[in-house]
């Protein structure tokens, strides 16, 4: 897609987004302060990851989120590593 004289840019379509069940789980977790079993798994995964690759720790501690963002300033690059229930990835 191009707007006016701008450079060409990609157009992204949303394929999946959180459903009400997932949103409710997140709300309950915030209310109770407890992690779901999946949240515990993600936290343990990122803790193991940081133990294995300690240099990644400079970009923040392990959390129960599904992904970690890393900015490489000198290359103007952002890398996201993620873990899903049925997949893992890097982009």
């Amino acid at each position: 897609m191009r707007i006016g004289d701008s450079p060409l840019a990609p157009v992204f379509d949303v394929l999946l987004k959180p459903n009400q069940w997932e949103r409710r789980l997140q709300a309950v977790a915030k209310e109770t302060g407890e992690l779901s079993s999946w949240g515990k798994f993600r936290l343990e995964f990122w803790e193991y990851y940081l133990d294995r690759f300690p240099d990644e720790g400079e970009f923040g501690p392990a959390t129960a989120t599904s992904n970690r963002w890393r900015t490489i300033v000198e290359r103007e690059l952002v890398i996201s590593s993620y873990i899903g229930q049925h997949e893992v990835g890097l982009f």
Side-chain angles (χ1 to χ4, degrees):
M1 169 171 276
R2 183 180 299 211
I3 300 173
D5 294 332
S6 70
L8 288 175
V11 175
F12 297 100
D13 293 322
V14 175
L15 300 179
L16 293 171
K17 54 186 172 182
N19 59 28
Q20 292 300 350
W21 178 80
E22 187 174 353
R23 287 187 180 126
R24 181 66 190 136
L25 280 179
Q26 291 171 355
V28 168
K30 284 182 183 178
E31 290 170 13
T32 63
E34 293 184 25
L35 294 174
S36 66
S37 60
W38 179 239
K40 290 175 186 175
F41 175 81
R42 289 187 305 217
L43 179 59
E44 290 172 8
F45 175 87
W46 292 122
E47 286 172 342
Y48 174 81
Y49 178 86
L50 291 175
D51 284 344
R52 182 105 194 260
F53 304 102
D55 290 345
E56 297 292 316
E58 72 181 86
F59 298 100
T63 62
T65 59
S66 58
N67 60 0
R68 291 183 56 83
W69 297 88
R70 177 180 180 185
T71 302
I72 302 173
V73 177
E74 51 283 345
R75 297 284 185 214
E76 297 181 11
L77 182 67
V78 177
I79 298 172
S80 175
S81 306
Y82 75 95
I83 179 172
Q85 289 184 329
H86 304 289
E87 61 193 6
V88 295
L90 178 71
F91 62 95

